Amino acid sequence: IQAGVDAVMTAHVAVPGILGPGAPPATLSADVMTGLLRDELGFQGLLYTDALDMGAIVRGYGDAEAAVRAVQAGADVVLMPLEPVAAIEAIVAAVDSGRLSETRLDSSVRRLLESKARAGLHRRRRVDPERIPEIVGSAEHVAFAETVAARSITIPRDLEGRIPVDSSRVGRVFSLTFSRQPDQAAGAVFDSLAEAATAADLVLLSAYVPPRSGVGSVDVSPAVGRFADRVRTGGTPLVLLSFGSPYLLSSVPDAATYLLAWGGRNGSQRAAAEALLGVHPVAGRLPISLPPFHDPGNGLTRPIRVLPEMTGAPGGDAAAGPESDPRDVGMDPAGLERIDRLLRVAIHDSVTPGAALAIGRGGQLVRLRGYGRLDWSGSSSPVTDSTIYDLASLTKVVSTTTAVMQLVAQGTLGLTDPVGKYLPEWGTGWKRDVTIRQLLLHRGGLPPFRPFWRDLEGRAAYREAIAALEPMTMPGDSTVYSDLGFITLGFVVEEVSGRSLDNYLRHSLTGPLALTDTGYRPDMADRARTAPTEVDSVYRMEHLRGVVHDENAHAMGGVAGHAGLFSSARDLAVFAHWLLDAVRAPSGAGGEVSGAGAAQFTARHDPSASRALGWDTPTRGNSAGRYLSARAFGHTGFTGTSLWIDPELDLFVVLLTNRVNPTRDNRAHIPLRRAVHEAVAQAIRDRSVRRRE
């Protein structure tokens, strides 16, 4: 490996050497690139030039000749010629004159085509423009960039132990930022800055000096160097941060603490701040030398040190109680940290003001914590595992589907029973053949939704209005996701059990499982820990909090089969664990609160659609992502909630957000959910997790 690294470094150095004035003949670099890399080491990948617009190259040979010599030396890809057309014409002329052979060009073209073929470009040559907002800058990619930035942070020196910053010793921080612009500030200005800095407990000198071709310098200005000297001689500790060139020590050689962030993008800035505060570990190593101060491989390690003032703050994580070590259940801690970063970035990017997360595997919780705040105000309470969220359509599975499953297991309700057996208004016309199973599968012929709330109020009015509807499709013909079908199933549960839906839930599920945060119509005493949803400017004219978001559920009194349930991450973790055990247990198991028949309810019904009985299953583009197994089942809620359970991976994920706060027009939660579920699955290390076909 080291020989390969040395060869690549040699090739990188040799190519500019050929192109510079007085360089040796091109055959020397061809010997390195072709002889050593291709022949001796067997490297068959692509060889790139550095940028050919660099001043020394252009001045030495001109743009066109530089391109010819790069190809002559063995390069497959010529980067950034100043005049691409002139460079192409020069290469063609070199072939015509015999300087370059067609065989030489053919070898590069073949490698390029093979590389494109490996990427599948011969099968799909064009991108889908509609997917650009989904893919470019997605939460998953931003989080990956954040992770790379955090892991790249390098501290070559910290002679006084200033990182992480000790908040008990540092009260006032003086921060000076320098960017490579025409130096307008000099002399008296820097003198006054240095004078002000002496009154601080710590000086942060941040330099944004990215290496760029043709600039000729990668240093800060002499005035900045003198500022640093005055601060140092004045006795104030100084931390030098580089958001670009790593070679700034040549300008500030006496800096006792030096941190490299390598770039000036948002992720690098955030990573540097987290390193300074000790909220992210530092373990970066120099890939280069910083002569005469530091050698390749130098770099200090700093463990995480969470400051008390960060706990529960936006961007911080409020962990709830003991979480198991992910390694005990075959999961990668670094993979779970990536999920933490996904959620922090989402909050930073206004996807949601906060989120609650529960991840369980092997009977243990590896994540149970909150992120951000309940509302956008800085004075709002932090989200915790006990923050109560409006579950929206998770009601369909946690409440209604579970109730139907239990009643079927008891033998008091049959999946093939016509709905009209329990609701007389369904006993005539097109509705008389609609079955309980068809409603669970969203194949009952009903439309998805009707704004009955504009004219109706009360459960009786809804029963009558839904029964009077004409079919959207014939029952059983096609799958049409329908709130109205699950409202109807809620009525069936009430008729069969003799209890109201909320009373049945308390008696048969939340009571036996001790789910203290789960139920319809939350108590006003819990309002302070309930996440607000939308600012309703159409129906209720208020910012909703502790009141069901769904208008039809509200018009029915807050209790409905399709929406209205509230819960927390800690309660849903208990529910998910119970259901996961029920799916994996022998038929009939379930104890006091029966989960018998759970495997039947959670398996995809047939290949024509992704639906199980009440539940959904993974399919291309839905919230499950690409790595949960085909045996997984789950559901989402309009307010920004989701629950996925995977019996094959022995895994569940609860993700609760209030993305509709303050408006339902915010749809940025959709790629976030997929990214979280994919990252959770990819954090599994004790078995192979592959992309689902």
Side-chain angles (χ1 to χ4, degrees):
I1 293 173
Q2 187 58 52
V5 172
D6 292 342
V8 172
M9 293 300 292
T10 303
H12 179 78
V13 171
V15 174
I18 294 166
L19 302 178
T27 52
L28 174 62
S29 216
D31 288 342
V32 173
M33 299 181 75
T34 304
L36 180 58
L37 286 175
R38 297 288 189 209
D39 300 336
E40 186 175 336
L41 294 176
F43 178 71
Q44 295 305 313
L46 295 174
L47 293 177
Y48 290 76
T49 68
D50 205 336
L52 293 189
D53 62 350
M54 290 187 289
I57 295 175
V58 176
R59 288 192 298 270
Y61 283 104
D63 185 54
E65 178 65 11
V68 172
R69 293 201 176 206
V71 175
Q72 199 172 23
D76 300 307
V77 180
V78 176
L79 289 181
M80 297 174 61
L82 281 175
E83 298 291 340
V85 174
I88 293 170
E89 291 175 347
I91 292 172
V92 171
V95 173
D96 292 339
S97 68
R99 287 183 66 192
L100 288 173
S101 69
E102 290 193 27
T103 302
R104 165 69 193 86
L105 289 184
D106 287 346
S107 64
S108 288
V109 171
R110 176 172 292 277
R111 278 188 286 270
L112 283 165
L113 292 176
E114 287 173 348
S115 179
K116 291 183 177 183
R118 284 193 296 272
L121 296 182
H122 60 301
R123 291 189 296 267
R124 186 175 181 179
R125 299 176 58 191
R126 299 181 182 277
V127 299
D128 180 4
E130 298 298 324
R131 296 194 65 203
I132 289 175
E134 173 188 339
I135 296 172
V136 177
S138 67
E140 179 183 10
H141 293 169
V142 171
F144 180 75
E146 294 260 338
T147 300
V148 170
R151 294 189 180 186
S152 73
I153 294 294
T154 307
I155 305 174
R157 70 167 66 161
D158 187 17
L159 303 180
E160 300 171 347
R162 299 296 174 183
I163 300 177
V165 174
D166 186 349
S167 59
S168 66
R169 297 168 53 193
V170 176
R172 184 181 180 189
V173 176
F174 183 95
S175 177
L176 175 65
T177 299
F178 172 83
S179 62
R180 184 163 54 194
Q181 301 292 339
D183 191 4
Q184 303 296 331
V189 174
F190 275 99
D191 289 342
S192 64
L193 290 172
E195 184 67 28
T198 58
D201 300 307
L202 181 70
V203 173
L204 300 180
L205 175 54
S206 302
Y208 291 78
V209 186
R212 288 200 298 266
S213 60
V215 173
S217 173
V218 291
D219 296 331
V220 295
S221 72
V224 175
R226 290 192 296 273
F227 165 84
D229 288 340
R230 286 198 56 182
V231 170
R232 182 180 59 82
T233 57
T236 304
L238 181 140
V239 175
L240 177 63
L241 300 98
S242 174
F243 293 93
S245 168
Y247 301 106
L248 299 185
L249 280 179
S250 60
S251 300
V252 192
D254 294 324
T257 301
Y258 185 37
L259 183 148
L260 291 170
W262 303 100
R265 302 265 182 189
N266 289 347
S268 297
Q269 293 182 35
R270 187 177 295 112
E274 290 178 346
L276 285 173
L277 294 173
V279 298
H280 198 282
V282 177
R285 298 292 182 266
L286 285 174
I288 55 173
S289 62
L290 302 179
F293 308 107
H294 300 284
D295 297 323
N298 285 176
L300 302 174
T301 298
R302 292 290 183 267
I304 191 169
R305 181 173 69 87
V306 179
L307 303 178
E309 59 266 29
M310 292 296 292
T311 304
D317 313 336
E323 294 175 342
S324 297
D325 187 332
R327 291 168 291 194
D328 293 343
V329 291
M331 299 188 77
D332 179 21
L336 296 180
E337 290 174 7
R338 181 184 174 199
I339 299 161
D340 298 334
R341 298 187 69 83
L342 269 172
L343 293 171
R344 292 182 202 140
V345 170
I347 292 166
H348 177 77
D349 290 345
S350 301
V351 174
T352 176
L357 177 69
I359 303 173
R361 188 165 193 255
Q364 300 184 51
L365 281 168
V366 294
R367 278 293 185 275
L368 182 61
R369 58 180 64 178
Y371 307 78
R373 298 186 181 277
L374 274 67
D375 206 348
W376 293 107
S377 169
S379 61
S380 181
S381 300
V383 173
T384 71
D385 69 305
S386 63
T387 296
I388 296 174
Y389 282 87
D390 182 336
L391 298 186
S393 283
L394 282 188
T395 303
K396 292 182 173 73
V397 290
V398 177
S399 176
T400 309
T401 299
T402 302
V404 172
M405 180 178 70
Q406 291 174 330
L407 294 174
V408 169
Q410 296 166 15
T412 55
L413 179 65
L415 291 173
T416 59
D417 290 346
V419 177
K421 179 178 178 179
Y422 309 102
L423 304 179
E425 61 270 24
W426 279 68
T428 61
W430 70 272
K431 296 181 294 300
R432 65 170 173 259
D433 295 326
V434 176
T435 66
I436 301 299
R437 175 181 278 115
Q438 287 173 337
L439 290 186
L440 287 166
L441 292 171
H442 296 276
R443 296 181 183 178
L446 289 167
F449 166 82
R450 287 289 185 271
F452 288 136
W453 55 271
R454 292 176 178 169
D455 305 304
L456 302 180
E457 186 174 345
R459 307 176 72 73
Y462 270 77
R463 279 186 61 164
E464 180 180 346
I466 294 173
L469 289 170
E470 291 299 319
M472 181 175 181
T473 62
M474 291 311 297
D477 281 0
S478 58
T479 301
V480 178
Y481 182 82
S482 176
D483 281 357
L484 304 180
F486 268 78
I487 294 174
T488 302
L489 283 170
F491 296 147
V492 171
V493 170
E494 292 178 331
E495 289 292 334
V496 173
S497 68
R499 299 173 181 269
S500 65
L501 190 57
D502 55 337
N503 184 277
Y504 177 88
L505 189 73
R506 287 192 299 271
H507 178 266
S508 300
L509 186 72
T510 61
L513 290 182
L515 307 181
T516 57
D517 298 333
T518 305
Y520 293 92
R521 295 183 293 205
D523 194 294
M524 286 297 293
D526 293 324
R527 181 181 175 89
R529 63 184 179 104
T530 301
T533 55
E534 193 169 22
V535 176
D536 186 349
S537 59
V538 177
Y539 177 33
R540 288 154 289 190
M541 306 303 175
E542 63 174 319
H543 193 181
L544 304 177
R545 186 169 190 173
V547 176
V548 61
H549 177 264
D550 184 271
E551 293 90 348
N552 279 329
H554 183 269
M556 292 174 62
V559 179
H562 73 300
L565 198 65
F566 288 73
S567 189
S568 65
R570 67 181 181 186
D571 267 15
L572 289 181
V574 175
F575 171 81
H577 178 73
W578 165 76
L579 189 56
L580 181 58
D581 280 352
V583 171
R584 294 159 61 91
S587 178
E592 182 182 359
V593 50
S594 176
Q600 175 189 12
F601 270 72
T602 56
R604 181 177 293 192
H605 182 68
D606 61 40
S608 67
S610 65
R611 308 305 306 192
L613 295 177
W615 294 88
D616 199 5
T617 64
T619 189
R620 181 177 180 180
N622 76 357
S623 66
R626 298 167 293 177
Y627 295 96
L628 294 184
S629 78
R631 185 60 191 87
F633 58 94
H635 213 283
T636 62
F638 185 80
T639 50
T641 59
S642 66
L643 167 62
W644 279 93
I645 301 172
D646 193 330
E648 184 174 321
L649 298 180
D650 193 13
L651 176 76
F652 67 78
V653 184
V654 177
L655 177 60
L656 306 179
T657 77
N658 53 333
R659 66 95 188 174
V660 293
N661 179 13
T663 171
R664 67 184 68 191
D665 293 335
N666 175 13
R667 297 178 59 81
H669 67 298
I670 295 174
L672 171 67
R673 286 196 294 218
R674 284 196 294 266
V676 167
H677 296 135
E678 291 184 356
V680 172
Q682 290 175 306
I684 293 174
R685 289 292 178 265
D686 63 355
R687 57 161 294 165
S688 175
V689 176
R690 298 181 179 179
R691 181 169 175 170
R692 195 179 57 256
E693 293 296 331

